[in-house]
Amino acid sequence: MEERAIEAKPRRLNWTNMLFLLGTLAVAAVGTPWYLWKFGFGLPEWLTFFVLLIGTGLSVTAGYHRLFAHKTYQ
């Protein structure tokens, strides 16, 4: 049997998505320190931090459990 090499086609950049994601990063990197310097931390910021921290921890834990215990991602 003859094996053929599979040629990978170069992918084109999706400029809309790339600009959106880089713009979001730039706004977060500049806007967050500016906001905190100007207004400081308050109760809403701390509550948001802890809610997102718990949510992120649960989602990562559930994802790894599902991957390694149930093999559902394969």
Side-chain angles (χ1 to χ4, degrees):
M1 231 189 237
E2 180 181 324
E3 290 187 33
R4 291 187 177 182
I6 299 173
E7 288 187 36
K9 295 180 182 178
R11 294 184 181 192
R12 295 185 56 189
L13 292 177
N14 186 336
W15 287 99
T16 305
N17 287 350
M18 190 170 76
L19 289 174
F20 173 74
L21 292 172
L22 289 174
T24 303
L25 173 65
V27 168
V30 173
T32 302
W34 174 82
Y35 179 85
L36 294 175
W37 178 68
K38 182 126 174 120
F39 300 105
F41 287 103
L43 182 61
E45 288 81 17
W46 285 112
L47 288 175
T48 302
F49 170 74
F50 283 113
V51 167
L52 291 176
L53 179 69
I54 291 169
T56 303
L58 286 174
S59 65
V60 170
T61 302
Y64 274 111
H65 168 77
R66 187 173 175 191
L67 172 64
F68 292 118
H70 304 293
K71 306 287 185 195
T72 55
Y73 289 139
Q74 295 179 356

